[in-house]
Amino acid sequence: MSTGLNSHPEGQSGQSKRRRRVVVGITGASGAAYAQKLCTTLVRLGHEVHIVITNYGKRLLHDELGMEGVQLDMLCGLPEGTTSEQARDHGVVLHPAKDVGASLGSGSFRHDGMIILPCSSNTLGQIASGAGDQLLTRAAAVALKERFPLVICHREAPLNRIDLKNSLELHDAGAIICPTNPGFYLHPQSVEDIVDFVVARVLDQIGIEHDVSKRWDQQLADEQVKRLGAVE
């Protein structure tokens, strides 16, 4: 179950600038741009990234990003043509989706958090039921039992009663339910700004220091007050 990498986190110490080991799960719900921004940001910041993509997740990357197969260079911002083996030199490991015996499926594999972005209703239900016959759902079950941060970014609307019950079940089990809902108070000017807002909130959930999106601070609040005053 060796990853071939030398980083061995010792849990969540709160040292935000140290190198983190993060697990990223990608499913078939729309939102490939979120996953791409998350992976490229983690790599850019020097963190170790372990990726598992479901079959529908691979179709998502094709449909929304134009990928042929899983292109780690495009997904993680690596040099063009980077292979899976070469990606390890950049701290990126791609795990087979059906290999429940991979390192991610063991509680002895320590990491700083798992993020499922985007998360489909299908995967949400599987995790809530305790199913672990695929690596992504097994890794999520491990995160829950080991009390690792598990951030589930459900991307669906509207939600039916089953989705709501599954979300509550996972919340009560210790997961963080972080829907891909953007805010508009920072006045986004592009789709990229909206994507950045969501990814920034996701990174906050596992304590990753970043510069992805502006934060609402007193200066921004004062500027908003001035704008409102001008309107009145």
Side-chain angles (χ1 to χ4, degrees):
M1 293 186 180
S2 171
T3 67
L5 299 175
N6 295 321
S7 175
H8 299 285
E10 298 177 356
Q12 292 70 50
S13 67
Q15 299 174 357
S16 60
K17 292 187 178 181
R18 69 177 175 84
R19 192 185 199 210
R20 303 298 187 89
R21 174 182 278 174
V22 181
V23 179
V24 175
I26 302 173
T27 76
S30 181
Y34 294 129
Q36 184 181 46
K37 183 66 178 186
L38 175 64
C39 290
T40 57
T41 299
L42 288 169
V43 172
R44 176 174 61 82
L45 294 175
H47 299 298
E48 183 179 323
V49 187
H50 292 259
I51 303 172
V52 56
I53 308 172
T54 67
N55 285 336
Y56 286 121
K58 293 174 183 176
R59 176 171 178 173
L60 169 76
L61 296 179
H62 174 270
D63 291 347
E64 296 189 0
L65 297 179
M67 289 189 190
E68 297 298 334
V70 179
Q71 296 176 246
L72 291 178
D73 52 354
M74 187 183 301
L75 181 63
C76 299
L78 301 177
E80 185 175 355
T82 298
T83 66
S84 295
E85 282 301 315
Q86 293 168 338
R88 290 173 175 263
D89 295 333
H90 299 273
V92 177
V93 180
L94 178 65
H95 296 266
K98 295 183 178 181
D99 185 8
V100 294
S103 57
L104 305 185
S106 171
S108 63
F109 180 82
R110 315 305 286 178
H111 60 76
D112 294 286
M114 178 175 183
I115 299 168
I116 305 177
L117 176 65
C119 181
S120 65
S121 289
N122 181 53
T123 299
L124 183 80
Q126 289 176 340
I127 300 171
S129 71
D133 59 343
Q134 299 288 319
L135 181 57
L136 190 152
T137 53
R138 169 59 187 169
V142 168
L144 289 174
K145 78 181 184 70
E146 296 293 330
R147 299 296 189 264
F148 297 147
L150 174 62
V151 184
I152 297 179
C153 305
H154 191 207
R155 216 303 307 163
E156 188 56 84
L159 302 179
N160 60 37
R161 183 179 179 85
I162 296 172
D163 292 331
L164 295 170
K165 288 178 65 177
N166 286 336
S167 294
L168 181 59
E169 190 78 25
L170 287 169
H171 171 274
D172 291 347
I176 299 169
I177 307 301
C178 186
T180 57
N181 297 336
F184 292 89
Y185 53 85
L186 294 177
H187 302 284
Q189 301 299 305
S190 65
V191 172
E192 183 178 2
D193 288 345
I194 295 173
V195 171
D196 287 354
F197 180 94
V198 171
V199 172
R201 300 290 78 77
V202 171
L203 291 170
D204 286 346
Q205 302 311 306
I206 60 171
I208 297 288
E209 187 171 307
H210 63 83
D211 57 358
V212 175
S213 177
K214 292 187 296 185
R215 296 186 183 277
W216 185 255
D217 57 19
Q218 192 57 48
Q219 179 181 349
L220 289 174
D222 291 343
E223 291 174 358
Q224 181 76 334
V225 169
K226 290 179 180 178
R227 279 194 294 269
L228 290 173
V231 172
E232 291 176 355

